[in-house]
Amino acid sequence: ATDLLTVLHELAHHVHYQLAGLAYGKHQNHGAAFVACYMSVLDTVRLIPYDAMLVILKRRKLKYVSPGPTLRTLRAALARCPS
C-alpha cells in the first residue's frame, strides 16, 4: 500500500469479511455491503466523514447500505444486504 486510502480500503475488506461471516460469499467485493464497511472505516479515522460520503455516493448514484453509528448497526446492515 502506498497511501492511507489504499490501506483503509484493504482494512474495509477485512472488516467486511469478519462481520459478514458466512454471508460474505454472497456479497460483491465492492458492493453495497463493502461500501458500508468502507464508509464506517473512513468516518472512524476521521478522514472522510459519513455525511460527506453520502453526498459522493448519491451524486455518483452508487449503491450502498448505511453503516449506522455503531458496530452493531453495521453488522445488522451487512446481514440485511443482498449483495
Side-chain angles (χ1 to χ4, degrees), residues 29-71:
N29 284 338
H30 294 99
F34 167 77
V35 173
C37 293
Y38 196 33
M39 289 171 66
S40 182
V41 167
L42 291 173
D43 186 63
T44 299
V45 300
R46 305 290 191 255
L47 187 61
I48 302 176
Y50 174 78
D51 293 339
M53 279 297 294
L54 286 180
V55 171
I56 293 167
L57 293 168
K58 288 177 182 178
R59 194 173 285 167
R60 294 179 181 229
K61 298 179 181 166
L62 298 173
K63 293 181 182 179
Y64 67 94
V65 242
S66 174
T70 66
L71 185 59

Side-chain angles (χ1 to χ4, degrees), residues 13 16-30 33 78 81-83:
H13 277 297
H16 181 202
Y17 177 77
Q18 292 298 318
L19 294 182
L22 296 175
Y24 181 78
K26 299 176 187 172
H27 292 183
Q28 297 173 2
N29 284 338
H30 294 99
L78 295 183
C81 187
S83 61

